[in-house]
Amino acid sequence: SGMDVMSFVPSAELGSAVRGSDIWGWTDPVMGNEIAIMCLTDGTSFVDITKPENPVVLGYLPGTNHPTGAVWRDVKVYKDHAYIGSEVANHGLQIFDMTLLRPLYG
């Protein structure tokens, strides 16, 4: 109650045909764009939600190569970097420089 759905992006459009497990966000301190970081069982998708009624999928970062994917993938952001982890054996830590997305919306 009291909330409106502004838009919906199916997981297939996010670069994956499987489930999601976490979502986080980042606001570009230079451009002001708001980026949703959606963790999926097989990778991470980046979506520009600056105009929430018109989200734009910017890209997809595959997870490490694992035949069954991950039960969960988690992301946190510090300054301009996203830190992505998973319970999958040998996944390690993926570190993504969020400023690399600027040419896609700037």
Side-chain angles (χ1 to χ4, degrees):
S1 174
M3 296 192 308
D4 294 319
V5 175
M6 302 296 291
S7 58
F8 173 77
V9 181
S11 59
E13 290 181 27
L14 295 172
S16 175
V18 292
R19 303 182 301 253
S21 61
D22 190 25
I23 191 165
W24 203 253
W26 175 71
T27 301
D28 185 327
V30 173
M31 305 295 288
N33 290 59
E34 295 180 30
I35 309 300
I37 307 164
M38 180 67 191
C39 292
L40 304 149
T41 56
D42 57 355
T44 305
S45 187
F46 303 90
V47 183
D48 186 343
I49 58 166
T50 305
K51 297 177 183 173
E53 66 284 347
N54 188 29
V56 177
V57 177
L58 301 173
Y60 175 79
L61 177 65
T64 58
N65 190 12
H66 193 272
T68 61
V71 174
W72 63 264
R73 188 172 312 283
D74 191 35
V75 62
K76 296 296 181 265
V77 175
Y78 180 71
K79 296 189 179 182
D80 292 336
H81 290 83
Y83 299 87
I84 305 161
S86 174
E87 91 293 351
V88 172
N90 299 316
H91 181 278
L93 179 67
Q94 291 178 295
I95 302 171
F96 183 76
D97 181 349
M98 297 295 292
T99 65
L100 295 174
L101 298 172
R102 280 187 188 141
L104 303 175
Y105 58 78

